[in-house]
Amino acid sequence: MRQTFGRTTLTAMLCIGFLTVAGCGSKKSGGDSDAGGPVVSDGEAVSQLTGKIAVEGSSTVSPITTQAKERFNEQHPDVTISITGEGTSNGFKSFAKKETDIQDASRPIKQKELDTCNENGMEFIEVPVAYDGLTIAVHPKNKFVKSLTVDQLKKIFRSGDSAKTWKEVDPQWPDKKISIFSPGTGSGTYDYFSEVVIGKEGSLRDDNQINLNEDDNILVRGVAGDEFAIGYFGYSYYDRNKNDLQAVPIINPAGEAVLPTAETIESGEYAPFSRPLFIYLNSESLDKVEVEIFVESYMTNIREIVAAANYVPLPESVYTAATHNIENRVAGTHYLTAEGEKREGSIINVFKPENLKK
C-alpha cells in the first residue's frame, strides 16, 4: 500500500515531518488555505494538511468510515470530514451529481444510478471494504422465536398478506401484535432485505405496523423497547447493542439454523444475509490531496478499522485488487453485466477485472 500511494505518502510525511518548522503547503486542490501554525500533540508533530471531505450514504457503512476518520484525524486534525448516513440510495443521488467525495454503500450501485453518473460525467472507483451479516433481532425476553426461515420473514414483512400477530407466523406462538422496525426506503439495507426476502414479486409492507427509519440506532431502540418487536440492521449495530437485543438464527439454504458471527458471516454459512459493503470514490475528488491521503489511510488500515467497527474484513486479495484500481484510477462497477443485470456470487468471483463495466 505504501508503494501504491507513494506520492501522497510522501506528501503526508512532508506535512507531518516539516511542519514543526515551516508549515505545509499542501493546497494541491480545494483544501482550505488558512491552516494555523505548527501543532505538537503529546510531543509528536501532527500535520497541517487542511481541507474538507464529504461522505454520504449508508448508515450501515458509516461506522467503518467513522473509524477511518478518527484514525486519520489523529495525524491530520485540520481536515474536516463530514459523514452523513441517510441511506445508500439517498447518498447515490448526491454522489452522482458530484456533490460528495465518497459514497458509503451497503449494496452495489444500480444500473439507473450508474446511468445518472454517466450522464453527469461522474467516474467512480468501486471499493469493497467489509463483510456484513444483516442481523434480524428480537427483544431479549422473546423466548418463543428459536429461529426463522425466509418464508416466515416473508409472512412478517411482505405487503398484502402480512401477518399482524406472531400467532399468524406460527400457530404455537403468542397471539400478540408484531411491532416491526425496518430501515427506510432510501437505505441499501432496505433494498437488500427486500430483494432477499421478497424478491422481484411484491414489496415490503408499508402499513401502520411497520416503523421505517434511516437511523439504525432508532431501530435498535425500537426493538429493545418492545417485547414483541422484530427488526433488522447491520451486524455492527447488533454487536454494539447485544445486551439489549437477541439475534435470531436464520435457516440457511442447507437447512441449518445459523447465528451471525464473524466466522459464519465470512464463511457465507450465515445465508442469505451475508453481504459485502462498499465505498465508492469520486475519481475527480482523488485529485484533492486531502482526499487521496485519507483514502490511503483508509486502505492501509482497512483490516483494523473494519474490525473496530464490528464488521468482518474481506480476503486480502480483494483489498489488493481494490488498491490497484485506486492507484490506477480504474473506474466502474463489477456488479452489473453489459446488459445491466445484477452480477451476484462470492466477492472473489465478482470483483475481478474482466467483470468491470463503466
Side-chain angles (χ1 to χ4, degrees):
M1 203 65 185
R2 294 292 177 189
Q3 183 178 358
T4 60
F5 287 89
R7 181 171 65 81
T8 54
T9 300
L10 177 59
T11 303
M13 291 173 63
L14 291 173
C15 286
I16 295 170
F18 297 162
L19 281 175
T20 53
V21 177
C24 180
S26 64
K27 312 305 178 290
K28 175 178 179 289
S29 61
D32 292 347
S33 59
D34 58 350
V39 177
V40 177
S41 176
D42 298 329
E44 295 185 5
V46 295
S47 165
Q48 281 190 331
L49 178 68
T50 62
K52 295 179 181 178
I53 302 173
V55 185
E56 288 189 13
S58 167
S59 60
T60 301
V61 181
S62 65
I64 302 173
T65 301
T66 298
Q67 288 289 335
K69 168 188 172 179
E70 292 174 354
R71 182 181 287 260
F72 179 77
N73 279 151
E74 289 175 1
Q75 285 199 315
H76 305 285
D78 292 329
V79 176
T80 301
I81 304 173
S82 63
I83 301 173
T84 305
E86 295 186 350
T88 299
S89 299
N90 291 332
F92 267 124
K93 294 175 183 175
S94 302
F95 185 73
K97 292 186 287 188
K98 304 182 182 181
E99 294 174 353
T100 56
D101 302 301
I102 297 172
Q103 159 77 7
D104 287 342
S106 60
R107 57 159 174 77
I109 192 169
K110 295 180 178 179
Q111 181 63 52
K112 62 182 180 182
E113 293 162 341
L114 177 62
D115 291 341
T116 305
C117 287
N118 290 336
E119 290 167 6
N120 294 330
M122 148 66 94
E123 289 196 341
F124 60 81
I125 300 168
E126 183 178 64
V127 182
V129 293
Y131 284 127
D132 177 34
L134 192 157
T135 300
I136 290 84
V138 295
H139 192 278
K141 288 185 178 179
N142 184 324
K143 304 302 181 187
F144 53 91
V145 175
K146 306 298 183 187
S147 65
L148 284 168
T149 66
V150 172
D151 282 344
Q152 287 174 316
L153 289 170
K154 189 178 297 184
K155 281 187 179 180
I156 296 171
F157 285 93
R158 185 171 61 186
S159 177
D161 57 351
S162 45
K164 292 181 172 54
T165 67
W166 285 103
K167 189 178 181 65
E168 293 178 46
V169 181
D170 185 315
Q172 305 302 313
W173 293 350
D175 189 15
K176 296 289 186 180
K177 180 180 177 181
I178 310 171
S179 298
I180 303 169
F181 294 85
S182 164
T185 56
S187 164
T189 299
Y190 176 97
D191 291 339
Y192 183 87
F193 185 85
S194 179
E195 289 175 12
V196 168
V197 174
I198 310 298
K200 294 183 179 179
E201 303 296 328
S203 59
L204 289 180
R205 65 194 296 171
D206 58 357
D207 56 23
N208 60 10
Q209 211 161 322
I210 188 167
N211 301 278
L212 301 173
N213 202 295
E214 308 294 356
D215 187 337
D216 294 86
N217 292 303
I218 291 176
L219 303 179
V220 167
R221 290 200 294 273
V223 176
D226 188 326
E227 187 173 343
F228 296 102
I230 188 170
Y232 64 95
F233 25 72
Y235 179 75
S236 175
Y237 288 89
Y238 161 69
D239 194 57
R240 284 185 281 133
N241 298 280
K242 55 188 174 185
N243 291 334
D244 300 317
L245 301 169
Q246 180 183 181
V248 179
I250 299 300
I251 305 299
N252 69 10
E256 300 166 337
V258 180
L259 278 169
T261 66
E263 292 75 21
T264 60
I265 293 168
E266 183 174 12
S267 68
E269 186 182 2
Y270 181 66
F273 293 112
S274 296
R275 57 174 179 167
L277 303 175
F278 304 85
I279 59 173
Y280 286 79
L281 310 177
N282 179 335
S283 296
E284 289 183 9
S285 292
L286 286 170
D287 288 338
K288 297 193 293 185
V289 69
E290 64 271 22
V291 175
E292 192 175 14
I293 294 176
F294 174 63
V295 171
E296 176 195 2
S297 174
Y298 202 130
M299 296 304 293
T300 300
N301 300 294
I302 186 71
R303 303 190 78 83
E304 290 81 4
I305 65 173
V306 165
N310 300 313
Y311 286 112
V312 180
L314 297 170
E316 194 61 40
S317 61
V318 175
Y319 291 141
T320 300
T323 301
H324 172 271
N325 289 349
I326 297 169
E327 174 196 1
N328 294 287
R329 304 293 191 264
V330 179
T333 178
H334 304 73
Y335 282 83
L336 291 168
T337 67
E339 293 75 29
E341 297 295 320
K342 285 179 57 181
R343 184 174 277 119
E344 298 178 335
S346 76
I347 194 167
I348 296 290
N349 291 330
V350 173
F351 195 75
K352 50 188 182 182
E354 55 268 37
N355 287 339
L356 188 71
K357 172 187 175 180
K358 289 192 175 181

